[in-house]
Amino acid sequence: MSQSAARDVADYLDTSYDIIYGEPELAVPEDDYQDKFIQQLLDELAPAQADIPTNVGNRQLINPQNYGQAYVITAKLADFKPLASRTFVIKGSSTIEELAETVILMFHGNLGHLYDAINEQTQEFYTQSEDFVPGGMTKVKLDLATVSLLNEKDKLTIHYDYGDGWEFKLHVQKIQPVTNEELPHVQKARGYGIIEDVGGVGALEQYYDDYQKGQVDPDFLDWLGGEPIDLDTVDINELNQLIK
């Protein structure tokens, strides 16, 4: 779905429409201008909706009340010590796909692997997969659902690279008006993040211990490109460049 088309509709109609996952439900257009943009949005949604399997339940894609808002979210790398965390702001109009990619990038992932997200409150599984759904969960297309569906205090888990098995734990802290700040934007950060293809949390912790002792294996150092990575340091300016 085109973000520009969705934004035009949301800005103009505010709360006068509801988009339901599967079958659109619309308020009666008040004039030709509304009708034009509603139809544009429906036309762009139609191909994606036609591909949705029958085991996907009805799901609202946009919450008009939060679509134009900004979300303050904290994220941390699960099961790793010392703590690697981020506090960032993202638009409610962003897709869950954009949210997941923002998180992966700000923890130094390169998006070279598959990923998904789970809303722990609603038991919804945001994915591009046409087959796998965890038991008891509802599948939602992550490139169609928007961040505006999330509520304050919602908790999400993002899975990245099913081989290394990275997990990022997200917590929605606040929903607030959008400012002139360019979004998404990292406000706070602690710890470097992940090393791609290192082997998961266990291997990352082993590298951290070796680095602290000054005993990084020379072959591993060559694999890193010759320079060790200090997992205790992070540059917020670099992170904000990565997620632009």
Side-chain angles (χ1 to χ4, degrees):
M1 173 178 61
S2 162
Q3 289 296 312
S4 62
R7 190 174 296 109
D8 282 333
V9 175
D11 290 344
Y12 195 85
L13 301 183
D14 193 19
T15 57
S16 65
Y17 72 97
D18 223 6
I19 300 213
I20 304 300
Y21 199 80
E23 189 67 31
E25 294 180 0
L26 301 172
V28 176
E30 296 176 358
D31 54 38
D32 292 340
Y33 185 77
Q34 288 182 335
D35 189 50
K36 172 187 173 183
F37 282 111
I38 292 171
Q39 192 58 54
Q40 181 182 354
L41 182 60
L42 292 180
D43 289 345
E44 294 189 14
L45 279 173
Q49 290 171 333
D51 293 335
I52 296 172
T54 55
N55 65 335
V56 178
N58 285 343
R59 183 58 169 116
Q60 184 179 358
L61 296 175
I62 295 171
N63 178 356
Q65 181 178 354
N66 294 333
Y67 190 82
Q69 299 289 88
Y71 280 67
V72 181
I73 300 175
T74 57
K76 69 176 183 178
L77 175 60
D79 303 321
F80 178 75
K81 293 183 179 180
L83 177 68
S85 65
R86 310 286 187 258
T87 300
F88 65 102
V89 187
I90 191 169
K91 292 180 179 180
S93 58
S94 300
T95 63
I96 299 296
E97 179 178 57
E98 290 167 338
L99 170 65
E101 292 186 353
T102 295
V103 170
I104 293 165
L105 287 170
M106 70 174 62
F107 281 93
H108 289 102
N110 62 17
L111 302 177
H113 304 278
L114 297 174
Y115 58 87
D116 61 60
I118 289 176
N119 186 325
E120 299 175 16
Q121 273 60 50
T122 61
Q123 289 295 290
E124 289 173 322
F125 181 58
Y126 301 100
T127 180
Q128 291 286 33
S129 171
E130 295 297 332
D131 302 313
F132 175 74
V133 181
M137 292 192 175
T138 301
K139 183 193 299 184
V140 182
K141 286 254 187 176
L142 56 75
D143 60 337
L144 295 180
T146 63
V147 173
S148 69
L149 299 176
L150 306 179
N151 298 309
E152 286 188 0
K153 309 308 178 185
D154 273 6
K155 295 180 179 180
L156 285 81
T157 299
I158 294 174
H159 304 100
Y160 174 61
D161 184 355
Y162 303 145
D164 280 7
W166 304 112
E167 287 190 1
F168 304 101
K169 299 293 186 179
L170 278 62
H171 190 186
V172 178
Q173 300 293 329
K174 186 188 299 184
I175 302 173
Q176 62 188 26
V178 172
T179 65
N180 293 329
E181 183 179 52
E182 184 178 358
L183 300 180
H185 179 78
V186 182
Q187 293 182 326
K188 299 178 183 178
R190 180 176 177 180
Y192 177 83
I194 69 173
I195 298 175
E196 281 280 8
D197 301 318
V198 73
V201 167
L204 192 66
E205 288 181 334
Q206 183 62 58
Y207 166 75
Y208 179 79
D209 290 342
D210 292 344
Y211 178 85
Q212 295 298 309
K213 298 173 183 176
Q215 299 176 355
V216 177
D217 183 89
D219 290 337
F220 188 81
L221 194 59
D222 287 342
W223 180 76
L224 286 177
E227 293 292 332
I229 297 174
D230 184 353
L231 297 179
D232 286 325
T233 64
V234 63
D235 183 341
I236 289 184
N237 292 329
E238 179 209 9
L239 297 184
N240 280 313
Q241 288 296 319
L242 289 173
I243 64 176
K244 278 189 175 180

